[in-house]
Amino acid sequence: MASTCVVGLQWGDEAKGKIVDLLCDKHDAVVRYQGGANAGHTVVTGGVTYKLSLLPTGILRPGIDCVVGNGVVIHPPALLKEVETLANQGVEVGDRLHVSDRAHVILPYHLAEERLTEESVSAADHLGTTRRGIGPCYRDKVGRVHGIRIGDLYHPAHFREHLDRIVAYKNRMLTAMLDDFEPFDPRAVADEYLGLADRLRPFVRDTTTWLHEALGRGKRLLFEGAQGSLLDVDHGSYPYVTSSNSSAAGIAAGSGVPTRHIDRWIGVVKAYTTRVGGGPFPTEQDNEIGERIRRVGKEFGTVTGRPRRCGWFDAVAVRYSARVSGSTEIALMLLDVLSGHDEIRVAVAYEDEAGRKVTSMPGHLEDLERCRPVYETLPGWSDDLTWARSWDDLPARAQDYVLFLSSQIGLPISIVSVGPERLQSIAVRGEG
Ligand code: IMP
C-alpha cells in the first residue's frame, strides 16, 4: 500500500492543490472522487499560475495519470475548456486523463434549476452556492428518474429519447416557477452534448476497473478531495454544505476503490478559517481582523470571485472533521498570512447559551449558530514568514502557534506552508 488521501478539514479552499502537487512525485495517479466545477485549485509553479476546477491537480505533472471518478459531476463544456486552457499554457493532457463513464452529467437545465433555488426563494433559504449546477445534478442522480451519465452520451438514440422526456418535465416545472424562463429545446441540447461527447471520447472509460488494474500493478494513487470536510453533505454543517461527500468518506463510493488501499491520511487546514457562501461560522471575524486576513491571504473565491468570510482557527471544528476524514497528520497552510497580528486566537471549545461548555461539533444548524467560541489567545509575530524554508527559520512564536494547533487537534503537523510556491513548504521534524 502506498496510496494517500488529501482532504480539507475546514469549509474548503485550504490550498489542498499545493499539497497534492508536492506529493505527486511519490504517486502515479491523482483521483478526484466528488464535486465538480464548484472546486477551485490554484497552483503556482515556476511563476506560472494554473487554475484548475474539474481536473485533478496532478495534471500539471508530466507522467502523472489523472482520474475523474464516478462520484464527480461533470459539465462537459467546463471540462473541455479546462483541457484547452491548459494546452494553451503548454500542459498537454494527452492520454493521462481518465473520465468515468459512470459520472453524472450537468446539463443546462441544472443551471436554471439552481438559479431557481438561489434567486427565487426567500433570502433565508439561499445557500450561496457556486451556481455550477452541482446540487440539481446530484439531486437527479439520487432521484434516478432524470439522471444522465457520461456513458449515456455514447448511446445516442437512448440518450435523445431520455432527454426528450426529461426536458419536457423540466420545462413544465421551470416555466411555472421562473418568470423569465426560455424553455429548452431537447433536440438542440442533445446535439450540443453529443458533439461534446465526441470530443470527450478519448478520455472516457471505466475508471473503476482502470484504478483496480493500476493498483494491481503496484501503482500509487493520491485521492484529492474537493471542497472541505465541513461541507460534506452528511457530516458537514447541513444544509449549508455541498451535495457530495467532500470528506474522506466519499472516496470509496466516488472512485470504486476501497479505502483499505490507503495508508496515508493527510488533513489540510489553513492557519485560520474561511468560508464562502452562507452558514454558521463560529469564529468569523466580521471586523478589521477578518478584513486583514482577507486582504493578506487574498481570500476571494477561485471559482466565483466572492470575498471569503474570514476568522480565527476553530479547533473544535477541525477535531471533528479530522475524525470523520480519518486524518493521521495535518498540513498547515498559509501560516505566513497571520504575520503582523499582536495576538492570535484559537477556538478550543464552544459555549452554549447557558454558558455550558460544548466540546464537540453540534449537528443541528440552530445549535451551532447559538454556540460562542471559547478562545485561547497566543502572542503574534511580526516577521515575514514567506522566506522560511525550515522549522528553525520560523520565529519562536510561530513555532509555538503550530505546536499549539497540533496539540489542540491531537495530530502531528507534518507540513507547514508559508507561500504558494513549492519551495515555500517546511517539512516538520522529518515528516512530510
Ligand atoms: P455548491 O457546491 O456550488 O452547491 O455550493 C454549496 C456550498 O459549498 C456553498 O457555500 C459554496 O460556497 C461552497 N463551496 C462549493 N465548492 C467550494 C469550494 O471549492 N471551496 C469553498 N467552498 C465551496
PDB file of all heavy atoms in Angstrom, residues 365-387:
ATOM      1  N   LEU A 365     -28.062  22.937  12.882  1.00  0.00           N
ATOM      2  CA  LEU A 365     -27.728  24.302  12.492  1.00  0.00           C
ATOM      3  C   LEU A 365     -27.987  25.329  13.605  1.00  0.00           C
ATOM      4  O   LEU A 365     -27.135  26.170  13.923  1.00  0.00           O
ATOM      5  CB  LEU A 365     -28.598  24.617  11.268  1.00  0.00           C
ATOM      6  CG  LEU A 365     -28.577  25.991  10.662  1.00  0.00           C
ATOM      7  CD1 LEU A 365     -27.247  26.187   9.961  1.00  0.00           C
ATOM      8  CD2 LEU A 365     -29.722  26.104   9.659  1.00  0.00           C
ATOM      9  N   GLU A 366     -29.150  25.238  14.216  1.00  0.00           N
ATOM     10  CA  GLU A 366     -29.506  26.246  15.226  1.00  0.00           C
ATOM     11  C   GLU A 366     -28.621  26.123  16.453  1.00  0.00           C
ATOM     12  O   GLU A 366     -28.255  27.125  17.071  1.00  0.00           O
ATOM     13  CB  GLU A 366     -30.977  26.107  15.622  1.00  0.00           C
ATOM     14  CG  GLU A 366     -31.884  26.534  14.498  1.00  0.00           C
ATOM     15  CD  GLU A 366     -33.314  26.774  14.957  1.00  0.00           C
ATOM     16  OE1 GLU A 366     -33.710  26.180  15.984  1.00  0.00           O
ATOM     17  OE2 GLU A 366     -34.010  27.542  14.266  1.00  0.00           O
ATOM     18  N   ASP A 367     -28.268  24.892  16.814  1.00  0.00           N
ATOM     19  CA  ASP A 367     -27.386  24.714  17.988  1.00  0.00           C
ATOM     20  C   ASP A 367     -26.007  25.287  17.685  1.00  0.00           C
ATOM     21  O   ASP A 367     -25.388  25.923  18.530  1.00  0.00           O
ATOM     22  CB  ASP A 367     -27.264  23.228  18.348  1.00  0.00           C
ATOM     23  CG  ASP A 367     -28.600  22.668  18.811  1.00  0.00           C
ATOM     24  OD1 ASP A 367     -29.411  23.452  19.345  1.00  0.00           O
ATOM     25  OD2 ASP A 367     -28.843  21.460  18.615  1.00  0.00           O
ATOM     26  N   LEU A 368     -25.539  25.057  16.459  1.00  0.00           N
ATOM     27  CA  LEU A 368     -24.217  25.560  16.086  1.00  0.00           C
ATOM     28  C   LEU A 368     -24.238  27.092  16.043  1.00  0.00           C
ATOM     29  O   LEU A 368     -23.311  27.762  16.498  1.00  0.00           O
ATOM     30  CB  LEU A 368     -23.790  24.978  14.731  1.00  0.00           C
ATOM     31  CG  LEU A 368     -22.402  25.333  14.225  1.00  0.00           C
ATOM     32  CD1 LEU A 368     -21.315  24.981  15.248  1.00  0.00           C
ATOM     33  CD2 LEU A 368     -22.088  24.609  12.909  1.00  0.00           C
ATOM     34  N   GLU A 369     -25.329  27.640  15.525  1.00  0.00           N
ATOM     35  CA  GLU A 369     -25.437  29.098  15.435  1.00  0.00           C
ATOM     36  C   GLU A 369     -25.417  29.749  16.812  1.00  0.00           C
ATOM     37  O   GLU A 369     -24.938  30.870  16.976  1.00  0.00           O
ATOM     38  CB  GLU A 369     -26.726  29.488  14.702  1.00  0.00           C
ATOM     39  CG  GLU A 369     -26.514  29.618  13.202  1.00  0.00           C
ATOM     40  CD  GLU A 369     -27.816  29.683  12.423  1.00  0.00           C
ATOM     41  OE1 GLU A 369     -28.902  29.513  13.026  1.00  0.00           O
ATOM     42  OE2 GLU A 369     -27.729  29.853  11.211  1.00  0.00           O
ATOM     43  N   ARG A 370     -25.942  29.034  17.796  1.00  0.00           N
ATOM     44  CA  ARG A 370     -26.005  29.609  19.144  1.00  0.00           C
ATOM     45  C   ARG A 370     -24.688  29.487  19.907  1.00  0.00           C
ATOM     46  O   ARG A 370     -24.510  30.072  20.959  1.00  0.00           O
ATOM     47  CB  ARG A 370     -27.101  28.906  19.947  1.00  0.00           C
ATOM     48  CG  ARG A 370     -28.472  29.384  19.542  1.00  0.00           C
ATOM     49  CD  ARG A 370     -29.507  28.924  20.559  1.00  0.00           C
ATOM     50  NE  ARG A 370     -30.805  28.866  19.909  1.00  0.00           N
ATOM     51  CZ  ARG A 370     -31.473  27.748  19.653  1.00  0.00           C
ATOM     52  NH1 ARG A 370     -30.991  26.580  20.041  1.00  0.00           N
ATOM     53  NH2 ARG A 370     -32.632  27.787  19.049  1.00  0.00           N
ATOM     54  N   CYS A 371     -23.778  28.660  19.378  1.00  0.00           N
ATOM     55  CA  CYS A 371     -22.513  28.454  20.099  1.00  0.00           C
ATOM     56  C   CYS A 371     -21.625  29.680  20.029  1.00  0.00           C
ATOM     57  O   CYS A 371     -21.463  30.286  18.972  1.00  0.00           O
ATOM     58  CB  CYS A 371     -21.746  27.282  19.476  1.00  0.00           C
ATOM     59  SG  CYS A 371     -22.340  25.698  20.029  1.00  0.00           S
ATOM     60  N   ARG A 372     -21.011  29.990  21.152  1.00  0.00           N
ATOM     61  CA  ARG A 372     -19.982  31.043  21.158  1.00  0.00           C
ATOM     62  C   ARG A 372     -18.640  30.368  21.357  1.00  0.00           C
ATOM     63  O   ARG A 372     -18.499  29.468  22.209  1.00  0.00           O
ATOM     64  CB  ARG A 372     -20.228  32.012  22.321  1.00  0.00           C
ATOM     65  CG  ARG A 372     -21.348  33.005  22.055  1.00  0.00           C
ATOM     66  CD  ARG A 372     -21.222  34.197  22.955  1.00  0.00           C
ATOM     67  NE  ARG A 372     -20.872  33.783  24.318  1.00  0.00           N
ATOM     68  CZ  ARG A 372     -21.759  33.522  25.262  1.00  0.00           C
ATOM     69  NH1 ARG A 372     -23.047  33.626  25.011  1.00  0.00           N
ATOM     70  NH2 ARG A 372     -21.370  33.165  26.470  1.00  0.00           N
ATOM     71  N   PRO A 373     -17.623  30.785  20.590  1.00  0.00           N
ATOM     72  CA  PRO A 373     -16.327  30.133  20.748  1.00  0.00           C
ATOM     73  C   PRO A 373     -15.646  30.523  22.066  1.00  0.00           C
ATOM     74  O   PRO A 373     -15.781  31.651  22.516  1.00  0.00           O
ATOM     75  CB  PRO A 373     -15.514  30.649  19.557  1.00  0.00           C
ATOM     76  CG  PRO A 373     -16.272  31.768  18.974  1.00  0.00           C
ATOM     77  CD  PRO A 373     -17.654  31.789  19.512  1.00  0.00           C
ATOM     78  N   VAL A 374     -14.958  29.563  22.654  1.00  0.00           N
ATOM     79  CA  VAL A 374     -14.114  29.847  23.823  1.00  0.00           C
ATOM     80  C   VAL A 374     -12.686  29.911  23.292  1.00  0.00           C
ATOM     81  O   VAL A 374     -12.200  28.928  22.722  1.00  0.00           O
ATOM     82  CB  VAL A 374     -14.233  28.718  24.870  1.00  0.00           C
ATOM     83  CG1 VAL A 374     -13.321  28.983  26.057  1.00  0.00           C
ATOM     84  CG2 VAL A 374     -15.675  28.532  25.290  1.00  0.00           C
ATOM     85  N   TYR A 375     -12.052  31.064  23.425  1.00  0.00           N
ATOM     86  CA  TYR A 375     -10.743  31.269  22.796  1.00  0.00           C
ATOM     87  C   TYR A 375      -9.582  31.112  23.769  1.00  0.00           C
ATOM     88  O   TYR A 375      -9.699  31.456  24.945  1.00  0.00           O
ATOM     89  CB  TYR A 375     -10.653  32.691  22.222  1.00  0.00           C
ATOM     90  CG  TYR A 375     -11.468  32.901  20.970  1.00  0.00           C
ATOM     91  CD1 TYR A 375     -12.562  33.777  20.973  1.00  0.00           C
ATOM     92  CD2 TYR A 375     -11.136  32.273  19.776  1.00  0.00           C
ATOM     93  CE1 TYR A 375     -13.299  34.004  19.822  1.00  0.00           C
ATOM     94  CE2 TYR A 375     -11.879  32.493  18.614  1.00  0.00           C
ATOM     95  CZ  TYR A 375     -12.953  33.355  18.646  1.00  0.00           C
ATOM     96  OH  TYR A 375     -13.686  33.574  17.498  1.00  0.00           O
ATOM     97  N   GLU A 376      -8.481  30.621  23.241  1.00  0.00           N
ATOM     98  CA  GLU A 376      -7.177  30.781  23.897  1.00  0.00           C
ATOM     99  C   GLU A 376      -6.446  31.821  23.056  1.00  0.00           C
ATOM    100  O   GLU A 376      -6.526  31.793  21.828  1.00  0.00           O
ATOM    101  CB  GLU A 376      -6.386  29.476  23.863  1.00  0.00           C
ATOM    102  CG  GLU A 376      -6.942  28.429  24.754  1.00  0.00           C
ATOM    103  CD  GLU A 376      -6.048  28.118  25.967  1.00  0.00           C
ATOM    104  OE1 GLU A 376      -4.951  28.710  26.074  1.00  0.00           O
ATOM    105  OE2 GLU A 376      -6.478  27.287  26.765  1.00  0.00           O
ATOM    106  N   THR A 377      -5.727  32.714  23.724  1.00  0.00           N
ATOM    107  CA  THR A 377      -5.037  33.778  22.994  1.00  0.00           C
ATOM    108  C   THR A 377      -3.534  33.544  23.051  1.00  0.00           C
ATOM    109  O   THR A 377      -2.969  33.300  24.123  1.00  0.00           O
ATOM    110  CB  THR A 377      -5.390  35.146  23.605  1.00  0.00           C
ATOM    111  OG1 THR A 377      -6.818  35.280  23.556  1.00  0.00           O
ATOM    112  CG2 THR A 377      -4.753  36.290  22.833  1.00  0.00           C
ATOM    113  N   LEU A 378      -2.906  33.615  21.894  1.00  0.00           N
ATOM    114  CA  LEU A 378      -1.449  33.413  21.825  1.00  0.00           C
ATOM    115  C   LEU A 378      -0.804  34.691  21.292  1.00  0.00           C
ATOM    116  O   LEU A 378      -1.440  35.433  20.522  1.00  0.00           O
ATOM    117  CB  LEU A 378      -1.108  32.262  20.876  1.00  0.00           C
ATOM    118  CG  LEU A 378      -1.417  30.862  21.395  1.00  0.00           C
ATOM    119  CD1 LEU A 378      -2.831  30.449  21.045  1.00  0.00           C
ATOM    120  CD2 LEU A 378      -0.437  29.852  20.816  1.00  0.00           C
ATOM    121  N   PRO A 379       0.452  34.945  21.665  1.00  0.00           N
ATOM    122  CA  PRO A 379       1.114  36.129  21.128  1.00  0.00           C
ATOM    123  C   PRO A 379       1.394  35.975  19.640  1.00  0.00           C
ATOM    124  O   PRO A 379       1.715  34.880  19.181  1.00  0.00           O
ATOM    125  CB  PRO A 379       2.427  36.197  21.923  1.00  0.00           C
ATOM    126  CG  PRO A 379       2.633  34.828  22.461  1.00  0.00           C
ATOM    127  CD  PRO A 379       1.295  34.182  22.588  1.00  0.00           C
ATOM    128  N   GLY A 380       1.237  37.074  18.900  1.00  0.00           N
ATOM    129  CA  GLY A 380       1.500  37.024  17.458  1.00  0.00           C
ATOM    130  C   GLY A 380       2.968  37.285  17.154  1.00  0.00           C
ATOM    131  O   GLY A 380       3.794  37.390  18.070  1.00  0.00           O
ATOM    132  N   TRP A 381       3.310  37.376  15.888  1.00  0.00           N
ATOM    133  CA  TRP A 381       4.681  37.670  15.458  1.00  0.00           C
ATOM    134  C   TRP A 381       4.601  38.646  14.286  1.00  0.00           C
ATOM    135  O   TRP A 381       3.568  38.734  13.611  1.00  0.00           O
ATOM    136  CB  TRP A 381       5.399  36.375  15.042  1.00  0.00           C
ATOM    137  CG  TRP A 381       4.699  35.673  13.908  1.00  0.00           C
ATOM    138  CD1 TRP A 381       4.856  35.896  12.576  1.00  0.00           C
ATOM    139  CD2 TRP A 381       3.678  34.664  14.017  1.00  0.00           C
ATOM    140  NE1 TRP A 381       4.013  35.100  11.848  1.00  0.00           N
ATOM    141  CE2 TRP A 381       3.271  34.326  12.705  1.00  0.00           C
ATOM    142  CE3 TRP A 381       3.061  34.013  15.099  1.00  0.00           C
ATOM    143  CZ2 TRP A 381       2.287  33.385  12.446  1.00  0.00           C
ATOM    144  CZ3 TRP A 381       2.079  33.076  14.823  1.00  0.00           C
ATOM    145  CH2 TRP A 381       1.704  32.758  13.524  1.00  0.00           C
ATOM    146  N   SER A 382       5.692  39.389  14.096  1.00  0.00           N
ATOM    147  CA  SER A 382       5.648  40.378  13.012  1.00  0.00           C
ATOM    148  C   SER A 382       6.512  39.967  11.822  1.00  0.00           C
ATOM    149  O   SER A 382       6.403  40.536  10.740  1.00  0.00           O
ATOM    150  CB  SER A 382       6.101  41.740  13.537  1.00  0.00           C
ATOM    151  OG  SER A 382       7.361  41.570  14.146  1.00  0.00           O
ATOM    152  N   ASP A 383       7.357  38.954  12.012  1.00  0.00           N
ATOM    153  CA  ASP A 383       8.296  38.559  10.951  1.00  0.00           C
ATOM    154  C   ASP A 383       7.570  38.083   9.688  1.00  0.00           C
ATOM    155  O   ASP A 383       6.519  37.459   9.780  1.00  0.00           O
ATOM    156  CB  ASP A 383       9.173  37.393  11.418  1.00  0.00           C
ATOM    157  CG  ASP A 383       9.638  37.554  12.844  1.00  0.00           C
ATOM    158  OD1 ASP A 383       8.752  37.744  13.735  1.00  0.00           O
ATOM    159  OD2 ASP A 383      10.836  37.489  13.083  1.00  0.00           O
ATOM    160  N   ASP A 384       8.198  38.363   8.540  1.00  0.00           N
ATOM    161  CA  ASP A 384       7.704  37.831   7.272  1.00  0.00           C
ATOM    162  C   ASP A 384       8.114  36.357   7.198  1.00  0.00           C
ATOM    163  O   ASP A 384       9.306  36.037   7.245  1.00  0.00           O
ATOM    164  CB  ASP A 384       8.359  38.638   6.135  1.00  0.00           C
ATOM    165  CG  ASP A 384       8.026  38.069   4.763  1.00  0.00           C
ATOM    166  OD1 ASP A 384       7.184  37.159   4.690  1.00  0.00           O
ATOM    167  OD2 ASP A 384       8.621  38.556   3.778  1.00  0.00           O
ATOM    168  N   LEU A 385       7.144  35.466   7.114  1.00  0.00           N
ATOM    169  CA  LEU A 385       7.474  34.027   7.121  1.00  0.00           C
ATOM    170  C   LEU A 385       7.711  33.459   5.731  1.00  0.00           C
ATOM    171  O   LEU A 385       8.120  32.311   5.596  1.00  0.00           O
ATOM    172  CB  LEU A 385       6.336  33.219   7.769  1.00  0.00           C
ATOM    173  CG  LEU A 385       5.909  33.567   9.188  1.00  0.00           C
ATOM    174  CD1 LEU A 385       4.954  32.495   9.706  1.00  0.00           C
ATOM    175  CD2 LEU A 385       7.108  33.680  10.112  1.00  0.00           C
ATOM    176  N   THR A 386       7.446  34.269   4.702  1.00  0.00           N
ATOM    177  CA  THR A 386       7.480  33.691   3.350  1.00  0.00           C
ATOM    178  C   THR A 386       8.884  33.233   2.951  1.00  0.00           C
ATOM    179  O   THR A 386       9.048  32.488   1.996  1.00  0.00           O
ATOM    180  CB  THR A 386       6.938  34.681   2.291  1.00  0.00           C
ATOM    181  OG1 THR A 386       7.716  35.873   2.354  1.00  0.00           O
ATOM    182  CG2 THR A 386       5.483  35.016   2.528  1.00  0.00           C
ATOM    183  N   TRP A 387       9.897  33.703   3.696  1.00  0.00           N
ATOM    184  CA  TRP A 387      11.274  33.295   3.393  1.00  0.00           C
ATOM    185  C   TRP A 387      11.681  32.028   4.146  1.00  0.00           C
ATOM    186  O   TRP A 387      12.742  31.470   3.894  1.00  0.00           O
ATOM    187  CB  TRP A 387      12.258  34.426   3.749  1.00  0.00           C
ATOM    188  CG  TRP A 387      11.968  35.642   2.931  1.00  0.00           C
ATOM    189  CD1 TRP A 387      11.327  36.780   3.336  1.00  0.00           C
ATOM    190  CD2 TRP A 387      12.239  35.804   1.532  1.00  0.00           C
ATOM    191  NE1 TRP A 387      11.178  37.655   2.286  1.00  0.00           N
ATOM    192  CE2 TRP A 387      11.744  37.078   1.162  1.00  0.00           C
ATOM    193  CE3 TRP A 387      12.841  35.001   0.561  1.00  0.00           C
ATOM    194  CZ2 TRP A 387      11.836  37.552  -0.139  1.00  0.00           C
ATOM    195  CZ3 TRP A 387      12.940  35.500  -0.730  1.00  0.00           C
ATOM    196  CH2 TRP A 387      12.446  36.754  -1.062  1.00  0.00           C
TER     197      TRP A 387
END
